[in-house]
Every structure is written in structure tokens, then in C-alpha cells.
Amino acid sequence: MESAMEAEELKYLIVNRKENAPTMQSDLARKLVWVPHEVQSFCAAGIIAEEGDMLTVLLEEGGKKVKVTRDECQKMNPPKYHKVEDMSELICLNDASVLFNIKDRYFSDLIYVSKHIKPNFH
């Protein structure tokens, strides 16, 4: 009975990788970045053109083309790293990626806790 209870509680801590497989192959085929956004802090965008230090990106939200400097962009992790339990596993460890991971886990009812702390469900 105790293991059934643990399994029920662990659904809020551990991601089922089979359910969260990448669904869009186009995400893997193009270079995705995070760009600054006034409301959401960062917005996902795909690079469509590069001219020196200037990038033309297509925002995922709304499909708007925007020009930004290369320094304003932050690299995005591949989809296999979405909802990762340990932030140190992210290959692109930056503000936007950490914020996205925490928000993504929160909206999926997966709370974030440090791996070094074992939850006590009793």
C-alpha cells in the first residue's frame, strides 16, 4: 500500500518521458532561441536570417518577424530537456531556459525540488 501511495505522489516530481517526447520534428530541424519579451520575459523564436550581429527571428507566439542582436538571444535546449528534474542537466543553462523549465513543470503539476533533498511524504 505504501508503494502505491509513493507512486501517486511521485507523479508531481518525475516526468514520464514517454508522454513528453518531441512532437514537432521542425523544432529539431531549425535553430531555436529565446528572445526578450515585454510581458513574458522571454519568447521562443526561430532564427530565419543572420547578418553579422543582427538576427531576424520568427516569434513562436504570433508568427511576427523581429530583428534582434545576437547578444540579446539566449540558446534554447532541445525538446528532450523539457521538464527536466535537475536543472544542472540543461545543456543551455541560462535565465530563459531555467525560467521556461520551472514554468513548464509548474503548469504540468510537476513541482521543482532539489535532487539533494529527499521528499518526506509521511
Side-chain angles (χ1 to χ4, degrees), residues 9-70:
E9 292 165 339
L10 284 176
K11 76 178 185 182
Y12 297 107
L13 298 172
I14 299 172
V15 175
N16 182 345
R17 291 287 173 206
K18 292 176 185 167
E19 292 178 7
N20 294 305
T23 54
M24 294 178 46
Q25 290 300 320
S26 62
D27 285 349
L28 303 174
R30 61 191 169 123
K31 191 169 184 183
L32 296 175
V33 293
W34 295 108
V35 294
H37 190 271
E38 301 95 28
V39 178
Q40 299 178 8
S41 298
F42 299 98
C43 184
I47 298 174
I48 54 176
E50 299 181 39
E51 295 178 28
D53 281 345
M54 292 299 292
L55 302 175
T56 303
V57 297
L58 182 65
L59 299 179
E60 293 284 315
E61 184 181 294
K64 183 178 171 185
K65 288 184 183 178
V66 178
K67 287 193 177 219
V68 294
T69 64
R70 192 175 299 274

Side-chain angles (χ1 to χ4, degrees), residues 40 83 96 100 102 110 120:
Q40 299 178 8
K83 301 178 189 167
F100 171 77
I102 291 172
L110 297 166
N120 184 1

Side-chain angles (χ1 to χ4, degrees), residues 32-35 41-43 70-78 87-102:
L32 296 175
V33 293
W34 295 108
V35 294
S41 298
F42 299 98
C43 184
R70 192 175 299 274
D71 290 339
E72 290 178 294
C73 296
Q74 295 184 25
K75 291 182 181 179
M76 185 181 287
N77 289 288
M87 299 281 186
S88 67
E89 293 176 12
L90 295 173
I91 58 172
C92 300
L93 190 58
N94 53 46
D95 295 340
S97 294
V98 170
L99 179 62
F100 171 77
N101 193 50
I102 291 172

Side-chain angles (χ1 to χ4, degrees), residues 1-6:
M1 180 152 171
E2 188 173 312
S3 64
M5 183 179 191
E6 281 183 23

